[in-house]
Amino acid sequence: MHLWQNPKSLSYRKLSSKTLLPIMKNNNDASGQSAQNRLYIKRGHVVNHDGMQQADVYIEDGTIRYVGSGADFVVPGGCRTIDATGKMLLPGGIDPHTHFQLEFGGTVSVDDFYQGTKAAVAGGTTTVIDFVIPQKGESLLEAYDTWRVRADSKVVCDYGLHVAITWWSKSVRDEMKILCQERGVNSFKCFMAYKGLFQVTDSELYEIFETCKELGAVAQVHAENGDVIAKNVQKLLEAGVTGPEGHELSRTEEVEAEAVNRACVIAHQTKTPLYVTRVTSKLAAEQVSQARRRGLLVYGETLASSLGCTLTNVKQNVLPYYVTSPPIRQDPETPRHLMKFLALDDLQTTGSDNCTFNKSQKELGRNDFSKIPNGVNGVEDRMSVVWEKGVQTGLIDPQRFVAITSTNAAKIFNLYPRKGRIAVGSDADILVWDPKEVRTISASTHHQACDFNIFEGMKCHGVPEYVIVHGRVCLENGVFRVAEGQGSFLETPVYPPFVYDALNGITDRNGDDKSARNGLQALDLNQKHDVDIPEPYALPEKYVPGPALSIVSGDSQLSTPHSARGHRPDGSKNMQQSTFSISEELDGGDKRSCIRVKNPPGGKSSGFW
Ligand code: URQ
Ligand code: ZN
């Protein structure tokens, strides 16, 4: 039995490759929140990646049980109600790229799994995917156990794990198979940089990608040319350039773009779906765009740091605090270009790569920029930064915001529709989002553990008024209610349909045409001064509830909506019909654990029957 597999944590049931929905531990945990297991959010503007609808949402035992106009729903007793009039309801953010408590550069990143996930929740992110990074020569399974022990007792929201492949051998290949088939891992990252530390060769990349394809896993890359960087660092230091400006000089945009293209070619040669992490420059984003447009199955991620910052006006004395790889760029146009690539679906996801170090730790590179620990904050700031740079500028609408901050990551890493959607049967990870509220980002108020914030002073529209995690109100008007360990490890099953169906030329699970550009603006990438950018999206003035939202299609594992039962076929309301919810086991069992009858026409219910 592994370190973390004590009875308290999780009972793993073998995941069939068909199982879409990760298995979660029950919700009656230590946080004391299970008493409040019913929540009704009324009159909100529900936004999913593929539609917006004014509707009420009912949550019970951490799962969404009803989405609809409310006309056919009687709020059960003991239920808390939140009035979301004038606010949006968004799926909780999913950050596919964090590094909590990472040993790196001779030190350890200061956000651990408690502080880091607490900061995530504070900013509206309710699921994170962190990286197991074994040292060269270290067993992947042992490294995985180490991360589980660090995380399971601390996380305040659900989390998954990618695994980095920092060296290559038959034993690594064998352990990848175990990780996929028995540990709930479905993605592996290769570093093309950090020569001598994490970097692998092209032929190793080729074989690792082949193994990912055989396992139904997603191959990821950190794309920079590590050999060129090593030479540049040596040359800069020898020329006496030891300050932090040497970091970006040693790894310019073309050093990133070359590696992105090389990774796309190797993935195409091995017919492996590829996820390019943290694209930071226009040149690199163009490589992803061109690869996708020539039919390669490549997904691109960019970061809050690249969307919200440039080095243009950063003073020399604070430059070390902005050191991350690939670098935050000099070009002031970069944030807008990257947001346009997201608007055009040339890039699909936004992450944070939250790997925070305090100023004192960054001083380790005082006399040699290559010794500055790489990494910056972002896990708490991402949602507001993306809203400000995307929706507030008119480049994307709220649906696209949901896609790039939540749904696309859920689909690529096979957490959808349990995560990344507001629909019956999905986890109740929901934000009551105020698009008009403005907040100023600052290290003096953030929840990240670091003593510096790269977005210091940035004003952002778009603030979570409530953050609901598994049906628990964890953040309410700035007041936090979280408990260490209330989150769970999320198994990410192999063969994500969104990826592997597409690889086999099938449209994705929802029947969306892979090339569908729903909700996207038709922007001209090269037009310098966009003249026809629409006004920023604004909520309709009048509240006109629409019909119930479409239920997640085709998955019998999700509970059926009661509203369908509240009316006769001719649509008239059946007044004899009691209003009830079915608490069905979401793992697809056809048994009904209970039918709760609430306030039937004859009076109070006795509870279950
Ligand atoms: O490179 C990574 O992803 C890790 C080591 C975090 N640091 C960074 O600069 N991105
Ligand atoms: Zn990273």
Side-chain angles (χ1 to χ4, degrees), residues 515-541:
S515 60
R517 294 196 166 281
N518 62 316
L520 300 172
Q521 311 286 8
L523 299 172
D524 175 348
L525 265 181
N526 300 311
Q527 198 173 353
K528 267 266 175 278
H529 304 292
D530 302 301
V531 290
D532 53 355
I533 294 288
E535 283 303 305
Y537 178 84
L539 281 177
E541 291 301 323

Side-chain angles (χ1 to χ4, degrees), residues 267-288:
H268 191 219
Q269 294 294 312
T270 56
K271 295 281 174 286
T272 304
L274 177 67
Y275 182 91
V276 181
T277 69
R278 57 162 309 148
V279 172
T280 65
S281 64
K282 180 184 166 193
L283 216 47
E286 277 169 356
Q287 301 306 314
V288 176

Side-chain angles (χ1 to χ4, degrees), residues 3 41 63 92 106 142 144 149 166 187 202 228 231-232 265 321 350 384 388 404 430 459 478 569 590:
L3 291 168
I41 309 172
T63 303
E142 287 177 15
Y144 171 93
V149 169
T166 56
S187 64
D202 287 358
V228 166
K231 284 293 184 194
N232 284 344
V265 168
Y321 312 145
T350 59
S384 293
E388 178 67 19
I404 63 177
I430 298 177
K459 294 193 181 326
D590 54 6

Side-chain angles (χ1 to χ4, degrees), residues 421-493:
R421 187 174 187 85
I422 295 180
V424 170
S426 298
D427 283 359
D429 296 342
I430 298 177
L431 312 182
V432 178
W433 187 261
D434 187 343
K436 297 195 185 75
E437 182 67 23
V438 178
R439 74 183 180 100
T440 302
I441 294 178
S442 171
S444 60
T445 53
H446 74 195
H447 297 80
Q448 290 147 148
C450 50
D451 58 6
F452 185 84
N453 190 308
I454 59 171
F455 307 104
E456 188 68 35
M458 180 176 176
K459 294 193 181 326
C460 293
H461 292 79
V463 179
E465 190 178 27
Y466 293 85
V467 179
I468 295 154
V469 180
H470 261 299
R472 295 183 207 97
V473 179
C474 289
L475 181 70
E476 179 173 6
N477 300 319
V479 176
F480 245 121
R481 282 190 211 88
V482 289
E484 286 193 44
Q486 73 178 42
S488 300
F489 175 64
L490 278 169
E491 294 193 353
T492 47

Side-chain angles (χ1 to χ4, degrees), residues 308-521:
C309 288
T310 65
L311 298 182
T312 320
N313 302 316
V314 175
K315 294 191 174 35
Q316 181 77 357
N317 65 318
V318 295
L319 200 50
Y321 312 145
Y322 288 79
V323 166
T324 182
S325 294
I328 295 169
R329 297 298 175 186
Q330 295 280 356
D331 181 349
E333 272 305 301
T334 299
R336 192 170 175 81
H337 267 295
L338 292 174
M339 186 54 75
K340 285 185 181 177
F341 279 115
L342 286 165
L344 291 166
D345 199 31
D346 285 326
L347 296 177
Q348 286 70 41
T349 64
T350 59
S352 66
D353 200 1
N354 194 92
C355 188
T356 43
F357 300 100
N358 281 325
K359 296 177 188 175
S360 56
Q361 292 169 292
K362 292 284 192 176
E363 294 299 315
L364 288 168
R366 167 175 292 282
N367 303 316
D368 173 352
F369 66 83
S370 68
K371 300 281 188 294
I372 300 172
N374 286 204
V376 294
N377 63 284
V379 75
E380 178 173 357
D381 318 293
R382 179 180 67 108
M383 299 294 275
S384 293
V385 167
V386 176
W387 187 274
E388 178 67 19
K389 294 293 187 178
V391 183
Q392 192 59 24
T393 60
L395 290 176
I396 60 172
D397 73 7
Q399 295 172 90
R400 188 64 190 162
F401 174 83
V402 167
I404 63 177
T405 59
S406 183
T407 310
N408 285 351
K411 287 183 166 184
I412 293 167
F413 297 112
N414 208 0
L415 295 169
Y416 185 82
R418 187 159 214 164
K419 300 290 185 186
R421 187 174 187 85
I422 295 180
V424 170
S426 298
D427 283 359
D429 296 342
I430 298 177
L431 312 182
V432 178
W433 187 261
D434 187 343
K436 297 195 185 75
E437 182 67 23
V438 178
R439 74 183 180 100
T440 302
I441 294 178
S442 171
S444 60
T445 53
H446 74 195
H447 297 80
Q448 290 147 148
C450 50
D451 58 6
F452 185 84
N453 190 308
I454 59 171
F455 307 104
E456 188 68 35
M458 180 176 176
K459 294 193 181 326
C460 293
H461 292 79
V463 179
E465 190 178 27
Y466 293 85
V467 179
I468 295 154
V469 180
H470 261 299
R472 295 183 207 97
V473 179
C474 289
L475 181 70
E476 179 173 6
N477 300 319
V479 176
F480 245 121
R481 282 190 211 88
V482 289
E484 286 193 44
Q486 73 178 42
S488 300
F489 175 64
L490 278 169
E491 294 193 353
T492 47
V494 292
Y495 290 106
F498 181 72
V499 174
Y500 276 86
D501 287 359
L503 191 71
N504 307 322
I506 305 162
T507 54
D508 80 11
R509 173 152 296 265
N510 291 327
D512 291 348
D513 167 2
K514 281 301 303 150
S515 60
R517 294 196 166 281
N518 62 316
L520 300 172
Q521 311 286 8

Side-chain angles (χ1 to χ4, degrees), residues 37-54:
N37 71 342
R38 291 177 185 166
L39 189 59
Y40 193 79
I41 309 172
K42 65 179 187 179
R43 301 171 62 83
H45 195 86
V46 174
V47 184
N48 281 309
H49 77 288
D50 56 358
M52 296 194 269
Q53 180 77 46
Q54 293 187 324

